[in-house]
Amino acid sequence: SLTVMQHGAQCIAERTGSLGCIGWVIVIISGLFTTLLFPITIWFCLKIVQEYERAVIFRLGRITDRKAKGPGIFFILPCTDSFVKVDLRTVSFDIPPQEILTKDSVTVSVDGVVYFRVSDPIASVANVSNADFSTRLLAQTTLRNVLGTKNLSELLSDREGIAHSMQSNLDEATDNWGIKVERVEIKDVKLPHQLQRAMAAEAEASREARAKVIAAEGEMNASRALKEASLVIAESPSALQLRYLQTLNTIAAEKNSTIIFPLPMDIISHFMRK
């Protein structure tokens, strides 16, 4: 029992040191006033916060507990206590288009979107004046700093890596503010019109070059196939006659009025001898 009494006295001393003697006198007077006028003051003492909200209570300008109140009903003392509601839901905002000079000296306009939420209500109230506005400004500067170290090719091809890097930097910077950055996405990358035309011309030239290479390879493969076919036909003269008949069948299937029938040269030579 003696240990419990000493612990209670130590807690009272710590609280007294936090509020001061005058502060505790004011709190006691406020408590007596609330008790005497209980039917009326009950409507000023009971407060309600929603499921997605938390309340940070200040007593004589000091935060009372290390944990925010809520959700549900909580009790405050009139005249001495005040509270700030903090929304814990995820908030999204657009990063305005930023004119950025890349590592290879190309000017681009980039915008994005950030998703964040409050993870520590007390830190978001006590450590920063406006956590939402501060996070928005920091997102803009972080976007400039991250993209300033990337080339244009990296910016166009590695959006996911850039977004992950931005999220890590933002999350680390806003940790003391009680903010948790959940996701960052790069929405659009706008290039200058002259650069767009130059890149389009380069891509078209590259496609034409690949098309010519593919056509040349096709001609080479076709010539090899024709050479092998000629060798097979030369070994068997009847194969040439079968090829004639196959060509005639193909022409007749197309419903043409004119049919060209190839006549073998050996038959003509036979009649010419007679």
Side-chain angles (χ1 to χ4, degrees), residues 179-225:
I179 299 296
K180 172 64 178 177
V181 179
E182 296 181 340
R183 190 178 183 86
V184 178
E185 292 292 340
I186 303 297
K187 290 177 59 178
D188 191 16
V189 179
K190 297 181 180 179
L191 303 177
H193 295 290
Q194 295 180 354
L195 182 59
Q196 292 180 13
R197 289 195 293 268
M199 294 178 66
E202 180 183 0
E204 184 178 0
S206 178
R207 288 193 297 269
E208 290 180 355
R210 288 196 300 268
K212 291 180 179 179
V213 171
I214 293 173
E217 291 178 353
E219 292 291 339
M220 181 176 63
N221 295 333
S223 62
R224 291 176 180 175

Side-chain angles (χ1 to χ4, degrees), residues 237-251 260-265:
S238 60
L240 181 60
Q241 185 65 27
L242 292 175
R243 181 58 181 167
Y244 288 157
L245 296 176
Q246 183 181 3
T247 303
L248 180 62
N249 185 26
T250 302
I251 296 174
I260 301 175
F261 182 74
L263 189 65
M265 295 299 296

